[in-house]
Structure formats: structure tokens, C-alpha cells
Amino acid sequence: MRAKWKVVITDYNYPDLSIEEQELARWDAQVIPAQCRTPEEVLAVARDADALISQYAPITREVIYELKNCKAIGRYGIGVDNIDVQAATERGIAVINVPSYCEEEVSDHTLAFILAWARKIAHYNAEIRQGVWDWKSGRPIRRLQGQTLGLLGFGKIARLVAKKAKCFGFKVIAYDPYVPNEAFEEIGVEKAEFDQLLKESDFLSIHLPLTINTYHIINADALAKMKPTACLINTSRGGVIDEKALINALKENRIAGACLDVTDPEPPARDNPLLSMPQVLLSPHAAWYSEESQKDLRKKIATDIGRALWQIIPEGLVNRELTAKFKPE
């Protein structure tokens, strides 16, 4: 029997789509897999789809206005910067993300970066493999207790980072003008202004979505206000950092190091100077990942797409202006 709905998964890097297929079958939807890289490829397979799920494929304004039957566009993840949300809203198409699935993983990854950088783990590992057994080669190393960890953004992940970091004796400060004072007080985190955060942080960890307002928020001016001994950590989106400014700051020793799970673009070009800098630690946009979080991500977005198709309000509805289109559960 033919399914009622057609859901195109525009791109994915999982071994199969069994989780999505099983979950969407419950909502009488058929999954159509694809591996699109361009807007033209998206339209070729999804023009008549009832819903889309995208990982990285560009869902542009032009794509959205060519979709004939689309009721919902889902994104594997929290950020929706590859989807033109405004265009979707104009068309009455729900944009859906997964706002809660990897908080533990990203906060753990952030702390792992801090510990590995502070304790010179990569340096010692490389030295030992070259036959050098000498603790002095990693000097100087400072005690973590009493250092200041600054958090740029104070959402769910940043608050978990704060709780975990306090166990190591960090003083934690954070900047987020959209979060009420009570949230800072509840965890014992000092609310800081942006410039104060830059000037006082020994480690500055970014936890922001990529928006017009956050694009290159860490630029040359911001980097100039940081301590020369400071380390910058980014597990959010590459575009929040002006990468050229960061490279210059590192080359000129205006900051001491960086730990980056994300770059702009991804992956970085083979000749990107960051790849050859020993004071930089990199991971391949992996902070979100565990076997458990991957399963949660895939099941949650499939469930929410199914809900949207049957006009039940999705838990991860991004464009809340469209709430009235849906009925409560």
C-alpha cells in the first residue's frame, strides 16, 4: 500500500536510514534517500516532497519557493543556518531542528579540549613518539584551579560546561544578554559584559548559534582584548570566528592557543595555517557525537517530521510564527 507522505532525506552520512524509515513508517511516510550537495540536486529529488530532512544540503530561498507540496523541513542538529528560515516561514513551511540531544557530549568535548590543551597532552604525545621523554618540554603548565573560564552564550550546553568546570576549580563567568539573572545565580556563574568576558577569561568557550548577529563576533577587535595567555574554544559554529583574524592573533602570539571542533568552511583547506600550528587542537565537528546522541538525533527529527505532516505541533519548531497552523498533541 502506498504511503500517504513522501519524505526526502537530502543528505546524510549514516550507514543507513533504518531509524528514520522505521519511525516515519509509523506516520505513514515513505523515506526517499539522496545525497545532494547543491540546490539543483535538492530540487531534482524533492520538488514534490511533503517534507525534507537535511544534514548539510543548502535549502535556499530558491529551493523553498520551488517546493510544491512541502509542509516541513527538518535539520539533523540544532543549527539551521543551511536553511532559509525566513523564506520557509513566508511559504508556511515549518522548519524543525533537534534542540536537545547532545548537551552532555558537547559539554564533555569542551572540557576535554580544555584539559588536553592545558595539560599539553598533544605535545607530550608527539614528543614521546619522537623519542623525547621529558616533562620539562611542556613548560609552562598552570594549575586549572583558580583560572577563569568564560562562556560566550549561556544556553543548555554552556550551563553543563559551567557545572562540570566548577568541579575542576574554575571560576566561571558568562555573557548572554538573553538569559535572565536567575539562570546565572542558580549555577553560581558570574554574569559578565562582553568586553569583561574577553579581558578576564583564561579560557573562552563559545556556545552560540550562527546568526547575522553572531557571525564573526570573535573578530580582530575581540581577539585584541583577550589575554595573551588565553585559549579560545569553539564547539558551536565556525562562522562565529573570523578565522583570518584568529590565525593572525595566533601567529603574533596575541592569544596562546585555540581548540576548534568547527571551522569555516568545513573541512578546512589543506593549506590552512591552523593545521600546522602546534598550539591549536582540532576535531572534525565531532563534539555532538556519541552512539546514543546519534540515535536520539535521528529518531527525534523523524518523529517531529511525522508530527508536522499530521499537523501536530513539532517539539523542535523553529519558526514559532507558524504555531497556529498546528494542533496541540
Side-chain angles (χ1 to χ4, degrees), residues 19 23 96-101 103 295-305 307 315:
I19 293 173
E23 182 59 28
I96 302 167
N97 70 352
V98 186
S100 178
Y101 74 99
E103 294 92 341
K295 182 177 180 180
D296 286 348
L297 170 66
R298 296 170 61 187
K299 185 171 182 179
K300 285 183 175 183
I301 194 61
T303 299
D304 250 5
I305 288 292
R307 291 166 65 94
E315 293 183 1

Side-chain angles (χ1 to χ4, degrees), residues 75 79-84 210 237:
R75 168 90 212 297
V80 290
D81 39 284
N82 65 317
I83 301 170
D84 191 323
L210 181 60
R237 285 290 184 269

Side-chain angles (χ1 to χ4, degrees), residues 243 262-269 272:
E243 203 165 272
V262 288
T263 59
D264 185 22
E266 292 182 357
N272 189 315

